[in-house]
Amino acid sequence: MIQSSDQPLLRVRGLCKHFPIYSKGLLRRQVGTVRAVDDVDFDLMPGQTLGLVGESGSGKTTCARTILRALAPTAGEILFRDGDRTVDLARLGSRELRPLRTKMQMIFQDPFSSLNPRMTVGDIVSEPLVIHGLASGREKVRRVEEILEKVGLRPEHRVRYPHAFSGGQRQRIGIARALIMRPSLVIADEAVSALDVSVQAQVINLLEDIQDEFKLTYIFVAHDLSVVRHICDNVAVMYAGRLVELASTQQIFEDPQHPYTRALIAAVPMPDPDVRMRDTLAGEAADPAKLPSGCAFHPRCPECFEPCDRHRPELLSIEGKRLVACHLHDPAHRDKAGTSEAVAGNRAGGD
Ligand code: SF4
């Protein structure tokens, strides 16, 4: 990890991405809203890696794509540090965003479908340079060959096509394409999920190795918590579009405070075959188009108590720097925990 300066590279405040649901027919009326990302706040310091985790449908990928302005935010601020100035990406139009796009790149999940099979590796990797008019001719070739070597490929690979490479090598090509613009922020969206476990380790080691050299700050979107544990400094846990816990990786894994975080960690497979997987999450993930009242996790929460189905918990600071959105940690409610019939009922049902 490189040294962090005092200023965050990225500051996200009140970020929302909502999708309207329209009725069928000629008179298309809005009949609902999918709250895919709802009121998300976090800071990301330069050189750090933030894991964004949650089940499928938790909003983590939509949040990442909104930060990169692949999706327009519904509300909120995306304050990105660009040299000496800070710009709110949420307010910029496409023309103003264009030069900033070189500084924020994405590594995609599927190295098999994210590379155009009709383009050579050289053309794929140099495409961002060409689009932004940053290099051509010999200089373009030099930069492609240099970046291929940095990601563990050979310069002569630039004339080959993606089908000639293994899954791990294709992901290296995707990483080279992201790095050739010398970005400061890289979002890796499930970047190793489609790879074999042995290849996953190689790609994660590569991402760690290049982080110092390229002064990269990562957001690592993943559902696999064992991967997150290895690479991330901090972890943000999302449920139904909202952050429910944000803490250092060590705190998240050794002392999780939100019942959802505890359930996610309990569901991580153990490498020891004699150790059975502990209780996994019961019930379906909340539908962001029809969120339950109060805490969106309450229908699945084994620790649900009296205020949980009526009041939505706010993200509160506990023990200094960590943040948790759960009434168990809210001084206004926590005294009632363990006394309500709801807790007794939930626990009995879970046994
Ligand atoms: Fe469970 Fe209540 Fe905390 Fe939600 S607020 S996670 S329902 S204890």
Side-chain angles (χ1 to χ4, degrees):
M1 187 184 72
I2 61 175
Q3 205 68 36
S4 292
S5 76
D6 290 344
Q7 298 276 348
L9 176 74
L10 182 70
R11 187 174 284 177
V12 173
R13 290 289 177 272
L15 187 65
C16 298
K17 179 61 192 174
H18 298 169
F19 297 95
I21 305 170
Y22 293 105
S23 61
K24 290 182 181 157
L26 281 176
L27 295 172
R28 278 166 45 86
R29 285 187 306 109
Q30 185 173 343
V31 291
T33 303
V34 175
R35 296 174 179 273
V37 178
D38 205 21
D39 203 14
V40 166
D41 291 350
F42 65 84
D43 287 353
L44 181 56
M45 301 302 285
Q48 293 214 318
T49 301
L50 174 72
L52 208 49
V53 305
E55 295 169 286
S56 173
S58 60
K60 56 191 188 301
T61 292
T62 305
C63 183
R65 288 170 57 82
T66 308
I67 289 167
L68 285 188
R69 283 297 312 269
L71 297 169
T74 307
E77 296 177 329
I78 309 163
L79 303 169
F80 179 72
R81 190 147 184 85
D82 176 31
D84 293 337
R85 65 179 187 144
T86 298
V87 284
D88 184 359
L89 302 178
R91 308 259 171 276
L92 301 186
S94 54
R95 186 179 299 185
E96 299 153 301
L97 275 171
R98 196 177 150 84
L100 289 165
R101 291 204 182 280
T102 63
K103 304 188 177 156
M104 304 174 293
Q105 295 287 309
M106 193 142 183
I107 301 168
F108 295 95
Q109 175 179 6
D110 187 353
F112 295 90
S113 63
S114 63
L115 305 179
N116 186 335
R118 285 185 286 276
M119 290 171 73
T120 64
V121 168
D123 287 340
I124 290 169
V125 172
S126 64
E127 194 176 26
L129 287 178
V130 174
I131 289 171
H132 291 275
L134 297 176
S136 60
R138 276 305 310 162
E139 172 61 11
K140 184 177 82 174
V141 172
R142 187 193 67 74
R143 287 177 66 171
V144 168
E145 291 183 347
E146 179 187 63
I147 206 74
L148 288 178
E149 285 193 290
K150 294 279 186 201
V151 300
L153 296 170
R154 294 203 300 274
E156 60 268 28
H157 284 157
R158 72 177 173 82
V159 295
R160 297 197 195 160
Y161 288 85
H163 66 78
F165 295 89
S166 67
Q169 287 175 315
R170 289 188 208 197
Q171 196 54 296
R172 288 172 191 266
I173 296 167
I175 293 169
R177 178 174 58 185
L179 291 188
I180 201 160
M181 302 301 290
R182 298 276 172 169
S184 48
L185 176 65
V186 171
I187 297 186
D189 184 10
E190 301 276 10
V192 296
S193 307
L195 304 175
D196 291 344
V197 174
S198 60
V199 182
Q200 280 187 3
Q202 293 169 15
V203 173
I204 287 170
N205 289 339
L206 169 65
L207 291 170
E208 285 187 316
D209 290 345
I210 58 179
Q211 185 166 26
D212 281 2
E213 181 176 355
F214 285 76
K215 296 187 168 36
L216 296 173
T217 303
Y218 289 133
I219 295 179
F220 208 85
V221 179
H223 69 276
D224 183 346
L225 270 77
S226 50
V227 171
V228 166
R229 183 174 203 165
H230 187 79
I231 195 169
C232 295
D233 299 294
N234 297 299
V235 178
V237 181
M238 289 189 72
Y239 186 77
R242 295 174 67 91
L243 280 193
V244 296
E245 186 161 7
L246 174 57
S248 72
T249 304
Q250 186 178 8
Q251 287 172 325
I252 287 282
F253 282 89
E254 294 182 2
D255 186 25
Q257 293 296 315
H258 194 283
Y260 179 61
T261 313
R262 283 200 278 272
L264 284 182
I265 289 170
V268 174
M270 298 287 161
D272 182 345
D274 292 333
V275 178
R276 269 190 343 111
M277 226 160 87
R278 286 166 285 167
D279 294 343
T280 51
L281 271 169
E284 296 287 313
D287 178 351
K290 285 186 230 147
L291 288 176
S293 60
C295 171
F297 188 57
H298 89 260
R300 304 170 81 190
C301 181
E303 299 181 58
C304 176
F305 62 113
E306 189 266 324
C308 299
D309 63 349
R310 290 185 292 115
H311 298 292
R312 192 171 74 176
E314 297 300 323
L315 198 63
L316 300 176
S317 173
I318 62 164
E319 299 165 15
K321 281 190 149 183
R322 66 189 308 180
L323 300 168
V324 182
C326 173
H327 293 314
L328 290 169
H329 299 280
D330 184 342
H333 296 296
R334 67 184 169 207
D335 291 347
K336 297 176 206 145
T339 61
S340 73
E341 290 174 8
V343 176
N346 274 309
R347 287 192 172 140
D351 287 338

